[in-house]
Amino acid sequence: RIEPEALAAGGKVHVLIGNHESMNLIGDMRYVSKDEYLAFADDETAEERERWLASYAVRQGGSADNEVLRKRFDEQFPPGFFALRRAFAPDGHYGKWLLSKPVIVVINGTAFVHGGLSPAVVDFGLDGINGDLKSQLAEYVRAQHVLIDAGVLLPTDSFYDTLPIADAFMPKINEKEQVLEAIGTIKRLSSSELLAQDGPLWYRGNVSCSPIIEEHRVSDALNAIGAERVVVGHTPTPTRGVLQRFQGRLIEIDTGMFADYYRGSGNALVLAGDSVTVLNQAGGEPLAPADHPRLLGTRPGMMSVEALTKLLTEGEVVAEREDERGNTIVEVSDGKEKVAGIFTQRPHRGFYPEVAAYRLDRLLELDMVPVTVRRKVEGKDGSLQFLTSRHIDESQRSASGRGGGASCELPYQWTAMYIFDVLIYNEGRSQNRMLYDQSSWRLMLMRHDRAFVAKKGRPRHLRDIRLEIDEGWRAALERLTDDVLRSNLDEVLDHRHIRSLATRRDQLLAEARKPGG
């Protein structure tokens, strides 16, 4: 409705396809509520529901007269379900409209995309994403509905049922050519880049991966589509306000405005010339987007790095215990908030490897080592490293098979960990020193008491691993000049360890510059 209204007023509305639009189009109805179905109930007849109930009953090997089956049918496919599916068909009121819309739009140098500028954007470019790749979505949806019309699929079949049904399909001798073509299309496009978790409709890496992993990828993607910055939605911001990363080249606009679930509010991003401001639904003065905070590990009240550092450094020790792995767990409080940390006594004078790992993490913008401070506990000098309460270690994660939906893909994080451990010559990395915050599956690197060995090369367990030292790492390592290392680490490492660190830095840079490095 507002598209022609905007044109008449001298403006324009740009509608983009996001993951929820594509889900409705392809029959992935996981997030559709009964109230949403109910909005379509008046367009659905009793005869239509009875017809699909009969087909559903045959598929289930039962009878439409079975009350238990009918009850399950009504619960899974409430009133309005079939009308909604029709409305999102390729010739439906909403389906036809949405399939004409782009995935990414660039306006006055600013790109807009729902999920994010995934690595696929560099491969396909703007025309490829909105052309060939988006056409795959339309082709897939048309094939689904050909199979629904032919009775091969039912509207009640989930997107996740579609490929197994296509694989099991046995055509009749006189099967229609369009049905055979539709079966082939389903098989070919079920793994389309557009529908993948790392495609632009779903990608969360722009906002979730650390700068050393992601910043250069955003730059490459922006260059590929001829844009200077990108605005993304999809991932609610941790502060529920509009945020920015990478010197304003990435703006995060999903502020959790579905308040009943995300506890956020509606915000409008206003781009006018060189001005970038935010308006909240409650009114008030326009604000600039805030910088994306470094929030590694769940902490009380989303405490900032500065506040957490102060609490770990100055808070009163209120409890001390030893955990099952022999770590000394210390709880500190300022009278209002309380956090826990792992205390490690320094091995010898002037050597605080835990603090050095944290400071180096900050210099690299790795964002994997939790806040770590120098601290005395019961007269013992050492370090205190923040320990989030909601965590599991790598052995628990791998045994459970969880983490596949990490907002920053685990292989990206592991690769960064390997390079970091080579840089600091960490001989102590083990699965119980790799923790994950279960709310985001962000990797937290713990306990570096066996790092910063004064050696060249690599630790034994990393000698045969091929390191992918990309542009992000090359730039970060080049920023670690000798002066930077000395000025930031002189209090926590001696000159011998800093020289060894600089040597390993140079070895990694040389490796990165080799052909194919």
Side-chain angles (χ1 to χ4, degrees), residues 143 147 152 165-166 169 178-188:
L147 297 180
V152 177
I165 290 172
F169 177 69
Q178 63 178 356
V179 172
L180 297 176
E181 290 177 356
I183 290 290
T185 297
I186 294 298
K187 293 181 179 181
R188 176 169 53 88

Side-chain angles (χ1 to χ4, degrees), residues 96-118:
K96 183 178 180 180
W97 176 67
L98 283 172
L99 288 172
S100 71
K101 302 304 178 189
V103 175
I104 304 173
V105 65
V106 178
I107 305 168
N108 297 333
T110 298
F112 297 85
V113 62
H114 178 71
L117 295 181
S118 70

Side-chain angles (χ1 to χ4, degrees), residues 372-415:
T372 310
V373 301
R374 290 175 57 177
R375 174 81 198 235
K376 285 187 176 181
V377 175
E378 293 187 350
K380 299 175 183 178
D381 191 17
S383 59
L384 188 60
Q385 182 174 61
F386 173 61
L387 179 65
T388 184
S389 58
R390 298 187 65 241
H391 69 265
I392 60 174
D393 66 25
E394 171 59 19
S395 63
Q396 295 167 318
R397 186 213 63 78
S398 58
S400 68
R402 300 170 68 194
S407 51
C408 182
E409 294 183 36
L410 296 185
Y412 295 160
Q413 300 187 66
W414 294 333
T415 296

